């Protein structure tokens, strides 16, 4: 029943206020309430319901600013372990009706919608609505769905009908009129820098963008911009990635749960982040050649450095030695640190790396790492961890610190 | 620590709503939101719902002033003091305070099941319920700017 046979249709599914919807799925009394999801520090609103948004509360707003704007608001602590469960259930539901699904982010999916009509035995727009309702009833999360000829158009279509809407955008005239007034910043891939360049040329709407000569767009925004131009003309040039392409870098870190200059605590954070980093490298099956450490001070300044490792590795003792070496060089006693980030680059798959014949990791290190992985897999994350992390007993006591958004693997976007 | 709790109206038996004239405490936070019944510390006669001996009841919440001799003044009981036996003479008994939302310093936050409390008795006086508190977690401290938090039922935030 596809009206365009022989051409792929792309669907885009976007969960409506996803974190809040996840909380509502397990606590139905939150329906209709102005709900804010707080960061793990309890300081900032990281997601909000439409009711809260209507009161002028934006993402990232500190709770002490949000409270006077909406004294009736109710706040809940984020729980990424639960959000991941519902996110994957949502993807599984889409996989039942589509042969190809891209896990784009925790709350967004692209999929091949070519078979949607046939699966639901209904015209495309009705089939999209049935998919939306199926996810709502089975997962408990409201979603918006867009279907079109390219990723970019499908995403714009879905965004235009939020919340809980569906839009099928196939007719060229309808597409043209839809794009006419849509701000150019709405295109996924147009950030503020690109928007500034386009505005300077009086390209302010998606309609302006699509009507501009392709070569001009290419000159302004390189081939990435040109790809978007084709996509807006209904020519799909950006493929669906059903498997995440290999990472170019892997990092771990974040806030230190409040500013600190306690050296024992800082060293404990360093070890915790190296353990998390090794876990991520293991998960991706890669080793790294370069390592860097960055500390954000309370003053807002960053300090840090990087190093090239003697050989590609993902071994905890070696990465910890590199991290400690940099930390000792850059950290001055008394500096108050708010954030710490560890990053690795020049990654290679383990099986593709020539191992050193002279500087092999000790059998004891290899066995310790194996046992640690095994026990943590069976008993729970961080069940076995370095003793140097003991000063962070409060962090480990809070189970929500054991699962962050970067621990949700397989998605293309952060 | 805890300035009030709110419980869905549907979770309170009608006979308690009638008996304690709780209709006047019914609020809704939004057009589509369910009705709640609020129990605030600042009210003239502060009450708390509490499960005690297998029954849900509405109890007097703490003691407002030193003039009400015999009961400790305040609305909260430090867990550490209770465990050290300071309140032993008042025959403390554990209670569970059902709640969907808890208020502290103007912030309403979601709780899964409710709070832990303690019921104290004196001869010829109505029993009083106090909210059990403990040292605040980092999250709680940042959220409410309080260094004490209620002991939550079946969760820690």
């Amino acid at each position: 029943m596809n009206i365009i046979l022989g051409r792929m249709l792309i669907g885009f599914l976007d969960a409506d206020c996803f974190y809040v919807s996840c909380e509502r799925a397990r606590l139905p009394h939150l329906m209709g309430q102005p709900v804010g999801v707080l960061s793990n520090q309890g300081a900032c609103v990281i997601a909000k319901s439409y009711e809260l948004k209507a009161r002028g509360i934006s993402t990232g707003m500190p709770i002490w600013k949000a409270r006077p704007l909406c004294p009736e608001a109710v706040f809940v602590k984020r729980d990424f372990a639960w959000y991941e469960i519902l996110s994957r259930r949502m993807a599984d539901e889409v996989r039942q009706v589509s042969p190809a699904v891209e896990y784009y982010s925790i709350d967004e999916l692209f999929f091949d919608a070519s078979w949607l009509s046939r699966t639901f035995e209904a015209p495309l727009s009705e089939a999209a609505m049935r998919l939306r309702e199926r996810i709502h009833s089975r997962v408990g999360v409201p979603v918006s769905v867009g279907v079109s000829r390219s990723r970019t158009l499908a995403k714009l279509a879905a965004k235009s009908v939020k919340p809980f809407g569906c839009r099928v955008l196939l007719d060229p005239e309808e597409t043209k009129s839809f794009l006419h007034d849509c701000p150019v910043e709405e295109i996924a891939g147009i950030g503020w820098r690109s928007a500034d360049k386009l505005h300077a040329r009086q390209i302010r709407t998606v309609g302006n963008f699509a009507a501009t000569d392709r070569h001009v767009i290419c000159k302004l925004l390189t081939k990435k911009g040109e790809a978007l131009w084709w996509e807006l003309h209904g020519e799909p040039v950006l493929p669906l990635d059903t498997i995440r392409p290999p990472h170019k870098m892997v990092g771990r870190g974040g806030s230190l749960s409040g500013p600190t200059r306690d050296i024992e605590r800082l060293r404990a954070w360093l070890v915790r982040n190296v353990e998390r980093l090794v876990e991520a490298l293991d998960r991706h099956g890669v080793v790294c050649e370069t390592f860097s450490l960055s500390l954000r001070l309370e003053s807002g300044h960053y300090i840090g450095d990087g190093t090239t490792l003697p050989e590609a590795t993902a071994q905890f003792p070696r990465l910890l030695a590199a991290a400690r070496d940099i930390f000792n060089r850059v950290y001055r006693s008394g500096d108050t640190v708010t954030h710490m980030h560890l990053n690795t680059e020049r990654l290679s798959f383990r099986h593709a790396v020539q191992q050193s014949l002279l500087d092999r990791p000790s059998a004891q290190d290899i066995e310790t790492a194996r046992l640690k992985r095994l026990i943590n897999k069976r008993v729970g994350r961080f069940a076995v961890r370095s003793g140097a992390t003991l000063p962070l007993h409060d962090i480990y006591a809070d189970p929500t610190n054991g699962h962050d958004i970067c621990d949700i693997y397989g998605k293309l976007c952060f | 620590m805890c300035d009030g709790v709110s419980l869905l109206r549907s979770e309170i038996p009608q006979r308690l709503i009638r008996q304690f004239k709780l209709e006047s405490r019914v609020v809704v936070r939004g057009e589509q939101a369910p009705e709640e019944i609020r129990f605030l510390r600042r009210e003239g006669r502060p009450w708390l719902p509490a499960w005690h001996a297998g029954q849900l009841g509405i109890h007097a919440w703490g003691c407002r002033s030193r003039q009400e001799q015999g009961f400790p003044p305040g609305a909260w009981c430090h867990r550490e003091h209770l465990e050290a036996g300071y309140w032993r003479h008042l025959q403390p008994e554990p209670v569970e305070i059902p709640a969907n939302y808890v208020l502290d310093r103007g912030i309403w936050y979601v709780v899964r099941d409710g709070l832990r409390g303690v019921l104290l008795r004196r001869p010829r006086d109505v029993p009083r319920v106090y909210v059990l508190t403990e040292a605040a977690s980092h999250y709680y401290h940042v959220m409410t700017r309080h260094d004490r938090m209620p002991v939550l039922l079946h969760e820690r935030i």
Side-chain angles (χ1 to χ4, degrees), chain A residues 29 33 41 72 75 257, chain B residues 29 38 101 108 110 138 142:
Chain A
H29 61 78
Q33 310 272 33
Q41 310 304 313
E72 293 302 300
F75 295 98
S257 287
Chain B
R29 293 173 199 263
R38 281 192 188 163
Y101 310 108
W108 284 102
V110 179
H138 174 74
V142 173

Side-chain angles (χ1 to χ4, degrees), chain A residues 147-150 153-154 156-157 160 167-183 187 205-212 229 231-234:
Chain A
V147 179
S148 192
R149 293 195 198 108
S150 68
L153 284 174
L156 283 169
S160 72
R167 175 169 249 157
V168 175
L169 209 56
L170 295 177
D171 178 64
E173 283 308 309
E174 188 193 346
T175 306
K176 203 174 170 184
S177 82
F178 165 69
L179 299 179
H180 188 260
D181 297 324
C182 195
I187 304 172
T205 68
V206 184
N208 294 155
F209 187 99
T212 304
W229 187 93
E231 289 255 319
L232 291 171
H233 283 84

Side-chain angles (χ1 to χ4, degrees), chain A residues 39-59:
Chain A
S39 62
N40 226 23
Q41 310 304 313
C44 293
V45 178
I46 59 166
K48 73 257 174 226
S49 67
Y50 289 103
E51 294 83 357
L52 202 60
K53 190 178 179 184
R55 302 293 290 271
I57 290 157
S58 54
T59 301

